[in-house]
Amino acid sequence: MTQTVAVSARTGSSPTTTDRPRRMLRAVAVVSCLPYLSLKVAWIAGSRLGIPDGSVLLEHRTAVAVANGVTVLMDACVIVLALVLTRPWGRRLPAWLLTVPMWVATGLLTPIMTGFPVQLLVTAFGGSVDATDDKGEPFLHTWVFGVVYGGFIVQGLALGTLFALYSQGRWGRLWQGRVWDQSRAVLGTRAQRTAAVAAAVLAVPPLTAHLLWACGSTTGLNDDLIADRSSDFHVVEAQSALFVAVAVAAGLMLAFRGGRALPVRVPLVLAWIASAAVACWSGWQAVASLVVTESAAERPTPLMNLAYAGGMIVGILVAGLAVRFLVARSAATGRPTA
């Protein structure tokens, strides 16, 4: 109780005004994990719930079980993060121990949160959906995608809100004011400008590739993806290009003090979300493309590998710019970020 009161005193609010909404959000985050975790545990145990006859998931049981085990641990991390963000002891954790997994969670959940609703909208207006594997067999029953992705969207909203509240209470002083209020020791150093320019240059290949694929080009795609393209594929590629562009723009704003009248939190939030989406989703696609390599048609092409690697590097560079700003601003205020 003493810890809770102390935390509330630092954030300028009473325990009753802050704890109840956070407890509700924590409960929502935990409950939204249960459908996905239940499905994964059932599949590991041998259940075929949601898996139709002929699915490729039934052909490689050991590999699928290992992959399911990994994803169970990943989704369980959402529950851990929800606890960290709502318990008094969570404020004593080192900054990196929380922000790194939150950045990864942001990168994996954001493309689903933004892409899945758009995919549903496009499908409602006549877009095509491909829920089959490379042999034309159903991959999963349609309801599974709704349950899983719906749960991910709720997780992202609950966890994102909790992190925003937590960050404002612990580090809110670091992003007060507007861009023009920041000194050149905080924004606009040579190292920042170099990193931002490097990110912009390295973003050209992945941005070009994603734009081409979103517009219907098959250049650089493997045969498997060419055969399985649908409106869902084009939505994913379009938003991948958008995230790369936003990450670069946010990095340039931080490095060259662009948009000086904007609150400094605007480029910071854009850099956080877009860098995570670009880096983590590119990494996820790279790993997924390497796992399924039974034939030459399924192997990633050089351009696909270049797009994935470029995305990871761009995302990390832009994230580094945001971290550099926070560290410099912390030093300027004389209070550590940890």
Side-chain angles (χ1 to χ4, degrees):
M1 181 64 182
T2 302
Q3 290 174 319
T4 304
V5 172
V7 169
S8 301
R10 288 195 296 271
T11 58
S13 55
S14 66
T16 56
T17 59
T18 59
D19 290 353
R20 189 177 297 112
R22 296 186 191 195
R23 287 198 299 267
M24 293 177 61
L25 286 168
R26 179 179 64 202
V28 170
V30 172
V31 171
S32 65
C33 293
L34 297 182
Y36 182 78
L37 292 176
S38 300
L39 272 175
K40 290 290 186 174
V41 171
W43 291 343
I44 292 173
S47 173
R48 293 180 53 178
L49 178 66
I51 304 177
D53 293 336
S55 173
V56 68
L57 296 176
L58 301 175
E59 299 177 4
H60 311 283
R61 292 189 177 274
T62 301
V64 170
V66 172
N68 285 334
V70 172
T71 51
V72 163
L73 293 177
M74 292 173 64
D75 205 46
C77 288
V78 172
I79 299 176
V80 175
L81 287 171
L83 292 173
V84 170
L85 294 171
T86 54
R87 302 299 300 165
W89 50 266
R91 294 181 66 90
R92 298 193 295 270
L93 288 180
W96 67 268
L97 193 57
L98 170 63
T99 55
V100 171
M102 268 305 308
W103 184 74
V104 174
T106 301
L108 295 177
L109 290 174
T110 298
I112 296 173
M113 295 170 64
T114 57
F116 187 58
V118 176
Q119 289 175 335
L120 292 178
L121 182 63
V122 171
T123 301
F125 282 91
S128 59
V129 178
D130 186 0
T132 61
D133 59 25
D134 58 341
K135 298 177 182 178
E137 298 290 345
F139 182 67
L140 286 169
H141 288 305
T142 304
W143 65 264
V144 176
F145 295 100
V147 169
V148 170
Y149 290 149
F152 284 158
I153 291 173
V154 175
Q155 289 174 36
L157 292 173
L159 202 62
T161 304
L162 285 173
F163 184 63
L165 295 172
Y166 178 101
S167 300
Q168 182 61 38
R170 184 171 177 178
W171 302 302
R173 68 188 185 280
L174 299 180
W175 48 76
Q176 298 300 316
R178 300 184 181 276
V179 173
W180 63 32
D181 298 328
Q182 314 306 313
S183 68
R184 289 198 174 275
V186 174
L187 281 183
T189 65
R190 176 177 293 183
Q192 288 174 317
R193 293 195 297 270
T194 301
V197 171
V201 172
L202 292 171
V204 173
L207 179 60
T208 302
H210 289 307
L211 283 175
L212 286 173
W213 298 335
C215 294
S217 174
T218 59
T219 302
L221 289 176
N222 61 30
D223 294 339
D224 189 49
L225 281 177
I226 292 174
D228 292 342
R229 284 180 307 158
S230 63
S231 60
D232 288 352
F233 171 84
H234 296 298
V235 169
V236 170
E237 293 304 321
Q239 79 163 5
S240 294
L242 179 61
F243 281 131
V244 173
V246 172
V248 170
L252 292 172
M253 289 174 66
L254 288 173
F256 291 93
R257 296 158 60 92
R260 296 191 174 194
L262 290 174
V264 74
R265 70 181 63 193
V266 172
L268 275 177
V269 170
L270 291 177
W272 171 275
I273 295 176
S275 70
V278 172
C280 298
W281 197 253
S282 295
W284 180 258
Q285 288 179 307
V287 171
S289 66
L290 292 174
V291 170
V292 184
T293 55
E294 291 186 349
S295 65
E298 297 173 325
R299 297 191 187 103
T301 65
L303 183 56
M304 290 170 62
N305 285 327
L306 182 62
Y308 300 151
M312 287 187 282
I313 296 171
V314 169
I316 291 171
L317 283 173
V318 174
L321 284 168
V323 171
R324 170 64 178 78
F325 164 80
L326 293 173
V327 171
R329 185 69 190 274
S330 177
T333 60
R335 297 173 64 183
T337 58

